[in-house]
Amino acid sequence: MDSIKGKLTSESVDLVSEKIGEFLDASGCERKTALKIKLHMEDLLLDIRDRFDSGREYTLETGSRFRKPYISFFYEGERFNPVEHFSRGNTMQIAEGKKR
């Protein structure tokens, strides 16, 4: 398991997105699926950043369990489901890379 911690700002969203892309490439994820996951994660992170004041503490964890890759993102603050507030209204099952 790898993890990074920091404060959620515009710059850290770029960093987290880059780390997610590197992780997906290293895990052998198909390029098209990896790009979808990365873009959706960016949208989710921006929604969280916009919902709360900038600078909330976060932790990004990537790894694999039972030979399945996973991405976990934790942040400081009240419970918030950014998928409910998705701007385009087309949520997806991120883990599977398929639309609902």
Side-chain angles (χ1 to χ4, degrees):
M1 174 183 75
D2 291 324
S3 68
I4 59 171
K5 295 180 179 193
K7 293 191 180 289
L8 191 57
T9 63
S10 297
E11 293 81 19
S12 64
V13 168
D14 291 339
L15 173 67
V16 168
S17 178
E18 182 180 317
K19 294 294 183 185
I20 288 171
E22 291 170 2
F23 169 72
L24 293 170
D25 288 343
S27 67
C29 188
E30 290 182 9
R31 188 178 191 134
K32 185 176 179 180
T33 302
L35 182 58
K36 284 182 182 180
I37 292 170
K38 183 179 167 185
L39 291 174
H40 281 280
M41 286 297 295
E42 277 185 28
D43 280 345
L44 296 173
L45 294 171
L46 290 171
D47 283 349
I48 292 169
R49 186 207 60 196
D50 293 344
R51 166 83 174 189
F52 303 108
D53 56 332
S54 190
R56 294 277 176 148
E57 294 288 328
Y58 75 87
T59 302
L60 172 74
E61 293 180 358
T62 57
S64 65
R65 289 187 199 121
F66 306 107
R67 298 188 336 207
K68 299 280 187 183
Y70 72 90
I71 300 169
S72 296
F73 184 82
F74 306 94
Y75 64 92
E76 176 186 275
E78 68 185 60
R79 182 178 291 203
F80 171 64
N81 183 353
V83 176
E84 291 176 0
H85 303 278
F86 220 68
S87 57
R88 290 187 296 274
N90 62 345
T91 60
M92 72 180 279
Q93 294 173 342
I94 293 174
E96 296 178 18
K98 297 180 181 177
K99 290 184 180 179
R100 284 190 212 168

